[in-house]
Amino acid sequence: MTRRLLILSFFILLSILPIALGRGEGSSLWIDFGGWGITKGGSVVAVKTGLRCLASASSMMLLLQFLPLHRLYTVLRSLGTPKLFIELIELTYRYIFVLEETAGQIRLAQISRLGYQGSLSEKFQHFGMLLSRTFILSQVESDKLYLGLQSRGYEDEGLRSSSHNSTESMNHFPLLQVKELSFHYEDGYEALRGVTCTIQRGERIALIGHNGAGKSTLFLLLSGLQSSWSGEVYLHGQLIHPQERVSLRQQVALVLQNSNYQLFTPSVEDEIAFGLKNMGLREEALHKRLEELLTRYNLAKLRHKPPHELSEGQKKWVALVAVLATDPEVLILDEPTAALDTLYTERVLDLLEQLHLAGKTIIISTHDMELASRFADRVLLMEAGKLICDRKAPDLWSDSILLKDKHLPQPWAWRTRTHQQAPPRPIRTELQQYHLPLFLSSETLPILLVGGGKGIWRKAQGLIERRIPFKVMAPALCDEFTEAARRGDFEWIPRAYTGISDVGEARIVILGIGDAGEELRFAQELEAAGYLFSLLSDATRGNLQFGATAHKEGITLSVHSDYRLPEITQQLKTVWSETLPDGFEARLRALSQYRQALQEATDEAERTRLRQAYDKLKESLLQDTIHDRTH
Ligand SMILES: Nc1ncnc2c1ncn2[C@@H]1O[C@H](COP(=O)(O)OP(=O)(O)OP(=O)(O)O)[C@@H](O)[C@H]1O
């Protein structure tokens, strides 16, 4: 509250300053710049105006301490306060919030770099920097907020929309098309250079490229939020001139990367109602649609919350729903899952899947290739303002050479797929009688864990410890699993396993769904198709057994008993890991370096020296560990 008042006083001071300026005689001026200066009369008016502003703003703030904002609006509305006035309060409130948040963040940045230390004048200087920077940044932020307003149908530029083709003829044309599209920012920077591409109805497209490639700029143009491009933009085959960009805004909605720019009203329900009002809905119809959206998107409990008090995931969700409320034909999302945890990422992906099924065209930008590979059917790759690649997703993801060349990671499923084109061969039953001392590589044999309970979690822990990638298919996860999912330790597919068609690219399947009958049925399918599998409900049934494994100091120990006695194998494993000396891995690494050097050395004297050093280190290592233990 005090900080808000301080910031507000500073801006009131700035805005009343011009009132005190004027022309006058020497005696009527406080400061005289040759007939111009701060006039005595003007100063009195300025001070009075300033005090009045401050008093009314402070009383409003005080009121807001006790009365939630949405209640205040209800009161104002019931008193018949003009709509314009209420909207003005809404925007002012939001602007003060932007100021406060910006100031708060700069202050934190100053403190974290040992700001606010030293003499009074230095402290004063730091405070001055905070205020001036707040002012500049809040201007930038309010520009972005304005984009957020426009992306949801707010119009104040008096733009004309283009004359429409008939619906029937529209379907003959691509939905969106850009030809040789270029764009310069005001400082002259050319952010887009001759981009040409066509977007058809119902497509799911991922726009990828490194920072600064021009993705957000292209999105701003496609959604009609930037003007003065050069080149051609077509919507349903109709050429759109920059002054007709409102047609783009009506059909193409953009969810900005930073949700704070998209959310500006005092409550979640007002956020959603904003777009509905811009669509022309009023009273009963508006209320009905609002309730429908709040229920469908699970926001009823948050309806009165101010958006800036929500978590990042909740903010993104509200921003997405608020944009969907306007029912756009094309939905563009700028990095939709940046800063989201696994659960919110899945929620967003599920929603996008539903929208795709409902026929929407969706374009996302992302730096997460796993996400892009899960979402998109087509991928556009940008570099330095140019579109350098436009390909079907499988085609691009399998092109490891191009991806490597562009320093983009190949999605995991595609890295492994290249090794396993051939269908798995059935495993002959007699082979199951042997315990093969093999460490299978999950790159060539991807793993799917089915189930999200504690049993499966215990198996998963060993994989996580050794950084072996795997997927988990389960409609819900136990707490430990959820925590690991949040850390991104594995890929969660949040649905129930229904049979072999769900196995995907996996070659090893561990079943732990808690229903022995079901597990057996699934196991029979897997066995017939030649997969490696294991059942938690019946350890004797699978063709793959989990031994007790421990990974420590660069060594993986796997203990397996012929008599399937996990309590014994677990104990042996624990004893081994407890007694393995610390620093063992460093000595192993040194030993391996000696061996490598020995193989490469050509000089005989050098070889002898290295051989002696190798033998000495090996002997001391065995002495300290294995010999000691066995004697
Ligand atoms: N308002 C602006 N004024 C001047 N240059 C800008 C402005 N906004 C962006 N740029 C420049 O345009 C280029 C493209 O920026 P853009 O935000 O479109 O990239 P991007 O691919 O979305 O990057 P990121 O992945 O980091 O979000 C960058 O070099 C950036 O510095």
Side-chain angles (χ1 to χ4, degrees):
M1 175 87 173
T2 329
R3 197 170 64 200
R4 270 186 213 181
L5 271 177
L6 259 174
I7 295 169
L8 199 70
S9 318
F10 175 73
F11 287 105
I12 289 176
L13 186 74
L14 270 187
S15 40
I16 57 161
L17 207 59
I19 303 177
L21 298 177
R23 205 182 159 84
E25 300 289 305
S27 61
S28 67
L29 293 176
W30 289 112
I31 302 170
D32 188 353
F33 296 109
W36 284 89
I38 300 183
T39 63
K40 287 182 180 166
S43 305
V44 174
V45 179
V47 169
K48 276 187 189 162
T49 315
L51 285 176
R52 271 191 205 132
C53 286
L54 198 61
S56 60
S58 317
S59 54
M60 185 62 93
M61 279 185 184
L62 204 65
L63 190 64
L64 286 176
Q65 292 289 307
F66 305 106
L67 190 65
L69 210 57
H70 69 271
R71 294 235 188 289
L72 177 70
Y73 291 140
T74 317
V75 173
L76 288 175
R77 271 178 210 129
S78 64
L79 291 175
T81 316
K83 193 166 141 270
L84 184 72
F85 182 71
I86 298 179
E87 280 178 1
L88 213 65
I89 296 183
E90 280 182 6
L91 282 174
T92 314
Y93 175 82
R94 177 67 195 165
Y95 191 69
I96 292 176
F97 169 67
V98 169
L99 283 178
E100 192 201 4
E101 200 180 59
T102 314
Q105 286 184 2
I106 298 173
R107 200 176 128 74
L108 279 183
Q110 285 184 335
I111 293 171
S112 73
R113 277 149 58 194
L114 309 180
Y116 292 99
Q117 304 236 337
S119 65
L120 196 65
S121 73
E122 274 171 318
K123 282 183 184 161
F124 201 69
Q125 201 184 349
H126 287 162
F127 188 66
M129 282 197 279
L130 179 134
L131 285 178
S132 60
R133 199 76 198 120
T134 302
F135 183 62
I136 294 168
L137 278 183
S138 60
Q139 257 197 322
V140 174
E141 304 241 320
S142 55
D143 279 354
K144 297 214 166 133
L145 262 176
Y146 183 62
L147 288 183
L149 279 168
Q150 290 176 324
S151 71
R152 281 156 59 197
Y154 179 76
E155 275 315 325
D156 67 343
E157 291 182 309
L159 297 173
R160 61 186 156 92
S161 44
S162 61
S163 53
H164 286 299
N165 279 332
S166 71
T167 315
E168 204 182 312
S169 68
M170 270 168 24
N171 291 337
H172 293 123
F173 294 102
L175 176 57
L176 261 175
Q177 207 173 11
V178 293
K179 289 185 188 166
E180 290 300 320
L181 186 68
S182 297
F183 178 78
H184 292 85
Y185 278 103
E186 274 174 22
D187 62 1
Y189 183 80
E190 189 175 22
L192 293 181
R193 304 168 192 207
V195 175
T196 297
C197 77
T198 301
I199 292 155
Q200 303 288 358
R201 269 168 214 85
E203 279 197 293
R204 272 183 301 191
I205 299 177
L207 179 61
I208 59 172
H210 292 291
N211 293 123
K215 304 179 295 293
S216 305
T217 310
L218 180 62
F219 281 175
L220 289 176
L221 259 72
L222 289 180
S223 49
L225 299 176
Q226 278 289 8
S227 53
S228 68
W229 61 77
S230 67
E232 291 165 7
V233 179
Y234 295 88
L235 179 67
H236 298 299
Q238 190 99 27
L239 181 65
I240 306 289
H241 296 288
Q243 62 275 26
E244 293 167 344
R245 60 186 183 278
V246 69
S247 308
L248 288 168
R249 287 185 202 163
Q250 283 161 354
Q251 320 239 354
V252 185
L254 174 66
V255 180
L256 299 169
Q257 185 178 344
N258 185 343
S259 315
N260 283 329
Y261 301 144
Q262 202 113 25
L263 307 173
F264 40 81
T265 67
S267 71
V268 167
E269 67 172 21
D270 285 331
E271 267 323 320
I272 295 168
F274 180 84
L276 298 177
K277 282 184 211 160
N278 288 333
M279 288 168 74
L281 293 188
R282 292 285 175 270
E283 311 282 328
E284 186 72 4
L286 189 145
H287 184 70
K288 196 165 158 242
R289 180 91 181 109
L290 177 66
E291 293 303 320
E292 210 178 279
L293 288 165
L294 289 171
T295 315
R296 186 187 317 157
Y297 295 112
N298 228 345
L299 284 172
K301 280 197 191 131
L302 297 178
R303 64 187 303 160
H304 297 309
K305 264 224 166 228
H308 61 265
E309 285 177 9
L310 299 174
S311 76
E312 281 311 311
Q314 289 169 332
K315 276 186 202 168
K316 180 62 85 182
W317 188 251
V318 174
L320 193 54
V321 175
V323 162
L324 284 179
T326 59
D327 196 26
E329 187 168 358
V330 185
L331 189 64
I332 298 185
L333 302 104
D334 201 353
E335 300 197 32
T337 59
L340 296 196
D341 69 10
T342 326
L343 296 179
Y344 261 103
T345 302
E346 288 305 328
R347 229 175 140 187
V348 170
L349 277 174
D350 270 356
L351 177 58
L352 296 185
E353 176 69 23
Q354 285 167 29
L355 294 169
H356 167 67
L357 292 175
K360 299 278 180 211
T361 308
I362 310 169
I363 313 173
I364 66 165
S365 75
T366 180
H367 292 285
D368 180 350
M369 297 305 123
E370 298 298 334
L371 178 89
S373 79
R374 281 180 65 190
F375 164 79
D377 305 316
R378 180 176 156 204
V379 186
L380 308 178
L381 170 59
M382 287 192 73
E383 192 177 77
K386 291 188 178 155
L387 185 62
I388 57 162
C389 175
D390 177 353
R391 282 158 77 168
K392 287 211 168 93
D395 197 23
L396 179 75
W397 300 135
S398 54
D399 191 342
S400 52
I401 297 170
L402 174 84
L403 293 171
K404 199 166 175 203
D405 185 46
K406 298 296 169 199
H407 305 285
L408 293 165
Q410 190 175 25
W412 181 73
W414 295 88
R415 277 201 320 268
T416 56
R417 194 161 299 184
T418 44
H419 300 288
Q420 45 159 55
Q421 297 299 353
R425 278 191 298 137
I427 293 165
R428 299 205 321 275
T429 44
E430 60 267 31
L431 289 185
Q432 291 177 27
Q433 297 169 11
Y434 299 95
H435 304 298
L436 302 175
L438 287 181
F439 282 88
L440 302 172
S441 151
S442 80
E443 287 276 299
T444 48
L445 293 166
I447 304 170
L448 175 70
L449 304 189
V450 177
K454 301 261 187 222
I456 276 281
W457 165 245
R458 277 191 282 277
K459 305 291 174 217
Q461 267 175 305
L463 301 176
I464 294 172
E465 223 169 76
R466 273 168 284 149
R467 299 200 183 86
I468 296 175
F470 62 94
K471 295 185 183 181
V472 175
M473 185 176 285
L477 299 175
C478 67
D479 292 348
E480 293 88 340
F481 244 146
T482 308
E483 190 52 39
R486 204 167 279 144
R487 288 194 303 267
D489 287 343
F490 60 88
E491 187 185 327
W492 177 32
I493 308 166
R495 61 188 160 86
Y497 178 85
T498 57
I500 203 146
S501 58
D502 287 336
V503 171
E505 76 271 9
R507 288 293 165 259
I508 297 177
V509 183
I510 315 299
L511 297 166
I513 52 176
D515 176 335
E518 278 280 271
E519 276 187 18
L520 199 58
R521 188 170 70 76
F522 291 145
Q524 281 161 352
E525 269 187 333
L526 292 167
E527 188 166 30
Y531 286 89
L532 287 168
F533 68 98
S534 164
L535 292 74
L536 291 203
S537 59
D538 182 355
T540 62
R541 192 64 190 77
N543 55 24
L544 182 83
Q545 301 296 329
F546 268 90
T549 57
H551 182 75
K552 197 179 165 195
E553 296 283 342
I555 295 274
T556 300
L557 178 79
S558 179
V559 195
H560 183 260
S561 113
D562 285 358
Y563 301 98
R564 305 190 196 287
L565 292 166
E567 55 277 39
I568 301 296
T569 52
Q570 286 292 347
Q571 200 56 39
L572 283 171
K573 177 201 88 173
T574 312
V575 170
W576 174 79
S577 17
E578 274 170 6
T579 50
L580 192 70
D582 289 339
F584 191 75
E585 185 169 9
R587 291 158 80 185
L588 281 184
R589 201 178 308 121
L591 199 62
S592 132
Q593 281 161 357
Y594 275 131
R595 196 172 54 191
Q596 179 77 23
L598 194 58
Q599 279 165 359
E600 286 164 8
T602 46
D603 179 67
E604 202 45 45
E606 176 67 359
R607 283 182 62 79
T608 309
R609 191 190 66 76
L610 284 168
R611 161 70 59 197
Q612 282 170 352
Y614 176 85
D615 286 343
K616 197 167 157 213
L617 182 57
K618 183 182 84 178
E619 203 41 47
S620 87
L621 202 131
L622 291 174
Q623 201 66 44
D624 289 356
T625 54
I626 300 154
H627 291 179
D628 273 5
R629 192 93 25 88
T630 48
H631 288 158

